[in-house]
Amino acid sequence: MAGYQHPQNHIGLIVSPEIGFRRTGKKGALFELSLSPAYFRYFLDGKTYEATTDGDFDRVRFAGGNAFMPTLSLGVGHDLSVRRKVPLAWYVRLDLMQQRPYNTSNLIRFALEAGTLIPLKKQ
């Protein structure tokens, strides 16, 4: 799951279950590749109104939209437990997303992700 705020525009939420491949080399180098059929929901920032049939305006709560956002991710990093016996790995990952629909077409989005992997159990 991810979220962000585009100032004075919208708030975005992304739910992104993924399937992927991760390989750890003999010296601890990490490589990963994943694919995700993500769901994107955005909420417009500020108050939104809709005209009624009698000429008045009604407030629209939670105005925004939904989109399908398939994502391809490529990551690299290093697992410190391979050579140093430290139960920690770090990675950076580039995400390439395509938001469908976006107005009458689609929109390519990029994200750069950085993180750590910490095992919860001893291996």
Side-chain angles (χ1 to χ4, degrees), residues 21-43:
F21 166 82
R22 180 181 294 143
R23 183 178 186 282
T24 304
K26 293 179 183 178
K27 295 183 180 182
L30 282 176
F31 171 78
E32 66 179 24
L33 182 65
S34 63
L35 183 63
S36 170
Y39 167 73
F40 175 53
R41 172 70 180 151
Y42 62 93
F43 301 95

Side-chain angles (χ1 to χ4, degrees), residues 10-13 39-44 62-67 99 101:
H10 70 276
I11 295 169
L13 300 173
Y39 167 73
F40 175 53
R41 172 70 180 151
Y42 62 93
F43 301 95
L44 300 176
F62 305 110
N66 303 292
Q99 180 182 335

Side-chain angles (χ1 to χ4, degrees), residues 2-3 6 19 23 32 41 45 55 63 76 93 108 110-111 115 121:
H6 188 290
I19 185 165
R23 183 178 186 282
E32 66 179 24
R41 172 70 180 151
D45 199 5
V76 295
R93 186 161 95 165
I108 301 294
F110 296 94
K121 289 177 24 177

Side-chain angles (χ1 to χ4, degrees), residues 33-77:
L33 182 65
S34 63
L35 183 63
S36 170
Y39 167 73
F40 175 53
R41 172 70 180 151
Y42 62 93
F43 301 95
L44 300 176
D45 199 5
K47 295 178 181 176
T48 303
Y49 295 89
E50 183 176 62
T52 63
T53 55
D54 60 357
D56 287 335
F57 292 96
D58 286 338
R59 178 145 184 230
V60 178
R61 303 242 184 244
F62 305 110
N66 303 292
F68 174 57
M69 196 157 55
T71 304
L72 178 65
S73 301
L74 177 65
V76 295

